[in-house]
Amino acid sequence: MIDVTSDLFADLLRLPDGLFTRQDAVRAGVRDRVIAAAVHRRLIVRVCRGVYTSPGPLTVDEQRHLVARAALRSYEDAVLVGAPAVAAHGIPLFEVPALPGDIARPIVREARTAQLRIRPLRHASVETDWGPATDLPTSLLQLTMDHGIPAGIASIDAALHTGATDTDALQAALGEIAAWPRSSRARCAIAWSDGRAESLGESVTRAILRGAGYRVDSQVRIADGDGVVVARVDLGIEGTHVLLEFDGKVKYTDGGPDALFREKKREDRIRSLGYVVIRVTWADLFHAERIVRAVRDALAAAA
């Protein structure tokens, strides 16, 4: 029986990001069979090929960062691409799973491991806080091709909103991948993007409505009969009095009941001017038909 204790790995787990490689362990005098026994007893866990860390619960974002750092530790010639590259640039993601982690290496054909998707390296890299990654416009388009138009629009909007990229840079990146499979997703996401969006939920709501054929405006200003702007609303169906507000944002944290009361008065004022206000929640984003049906019913009632 192999004598394995958590103390045996304590120094290794103090390495950057709490990660250590098989080579780190061997240099410290820990043999492969001891590593295997420790994994079996859940004293350590394998993050990806030949890279280990301590067990424990992780959020999706934490797991994405850990897998990305482990992949770069495991493959010295690797570059982050797609979703982990977008995250490495500091741009939020909408419901993108942490696995597989996406990297590129100087190989000919795509390969996969249990935790990683390894693509041929086709673009130059830039440095991020996480390590080498493709530039942000390229990363955003790869994210869209991998995970769909709503996820792509959500991150593209966020990047445009903060000024991290612009439409010209996205169009230039699109020109380089125009012949790739699913590049039509990227083309659509750029066309439907809007840097005025202030939350991922707002962006996804707009993507759902655009996909249903509606023309949608962002950050709609509502004026009273005297032309005085009384409110700004997340989304509006162009040419109509149908508005949508996304409720996933933390609007009332600091104000408590007073803030909730003010929001109700604000909405009452908007309705008094003849507008219909549809509230969209985070849960609705996973049932697109609810949002489309609410808009369709509101338009029918107003006809």
Side-chain angles (χ1 to χ4, degrees), residues 14-30:
R14 294 191 187 98
L15 291 172
D17 301 310
L19 297 166
F20 69 90
T21 66
R22 172 186 173 274
Q23 290 79 7
D24 294 327
V26 170
R27 282 193 294 268
V30 180

